[in-house]
Amino acid sequence: IDNSTAHLAGSLGKETYLLLPKVSDWRWMLDEDYTPWYKSLKLFRNNSKKGWEEEMDKICKDIGRFSC
């Protein structure tokens, strides 16, 4: 989530998956899955009113180490 841990990980260049609400802070752009400030962060936006299942499935597949 958008907190100090995400900013610290990004500033250290650590690969990080950031979960964001559909409407988020300006620094996370509008419809992008990246941010120009932290190249190692990958953004996942919640576009569903049902919850985070779709985004968690995307993260799971992107990581590739866990069965989804």
Side-chain angles (χ1 to χ4, degrees), residues 1-3 6 16-22 24 28 42-46 52 55-56 59:
I1 59 170
D2 182 8
N3 61 24
T16 305
Y17 299 94
L18 184 61
L19 297 170
L20 297 168
K22 182 173 181 155
S24 59
W28 305 121
K42 188 165 184 180
L43 310 180
F44 292 86
R45 298 178 192 282
N46 184 349
W52 291 91
E55 289 72 28
M56 296 307 290
I59 291 171

Side-chain angles (χ1 to χ4, degrees), residues 6-7 10-13 18 20 24-43 45:
H7 291 276
S11 66
L12 293 173
L18 184 61
L20 297 168
S24 59
D25 195 82
W26 62 269
R27 78 182 119 230
W28 305 121
M29 315 302 275
L30 291 176
D31 296 316
E32 304 296 337
D33 64 352
Y34 70 93
T35 176
W37 295 278
Y38 303 125
K39 303 292 184 195
S40 63
L41 262 62
K42 188 165 184 180
L43 310 180
R45 298 178 192 282

